[in-house]
């Protein structure tokens, strides 16, 4: 499904650039950069954030938790998003 009509980005393309690790995009702007484009109208930013949260949930639910090694966990955006969501949920 196309989630960004300005750049013709699919949800699958967004998910593919969200591999856990220090180089993982932390913001929608970094997702655009990772995919070789830039934000135009910005209407898709909320959807891209939702895809990022979903990817985190899948990473946390699979194989007993977060997929990063201990060495990268402190710098990994997925850990930071997870921590922020835990604060919001508390
Ligand atoms: S829909 Fe993504 S920048 Fe316009």
């Amino acid at each position: 499904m196309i989630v960004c009509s300005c750049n013709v980005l699919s949800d699958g393309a967004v998910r593919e650039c969200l591999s856990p690790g220090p180089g993982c995009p932390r913001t929608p702007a970094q997702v655009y950069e990772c995919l070789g484009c830039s934000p135009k109208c910005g209407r898709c930013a909320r959807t891209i954030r939702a895809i990022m949260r979903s990817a985190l949930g899948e990473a946390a639910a699979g194989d007993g938790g977060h997929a990063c090694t201990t060495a990268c966990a402190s710098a990994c955006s997925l850990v930071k998003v997870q921590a922020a969501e835990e604060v919001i949920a508390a």
Side-chain angles (χ1 to χ4, degrees):
M1 175 178 73
I2 298 297
V3 295
C4 174
S5 56
C6 294
N7 291 302
V8 194
L9 300 179
S10 69
D11 57 331
V14 172
R15 287 180 200 283
E16 282 179 24
C17 79
L18 295 175
S19 56
C24 184
R26 298 176 185 181
T27 64
Q30 290 176 342
V31 169
Y32 300 121
E33 185 179 332
C34 177
L35 294 172
C37 58
S38 59
K40 303 220 180 332
C41 73
R43 286 182 303 190
C44 58
R46 181 175 288 182
T47 302
I48 290 175
R49 270 193 212 97
I51 292 170
M52 294 173 81
R53 276 189 231 108
S54 172
L56 169 63
E58 290 169 11
D63 296 334
H66 185 62
C68 284
T69 63
T70 304
C72 82
S74 64
C76 178
S77 60
L78 294 179
V79 170
K80 292 176 181 174
V81 170
Q82 186 177 31
E85 288 188 348
E86 287 173 1
V87 168
I88 291 170

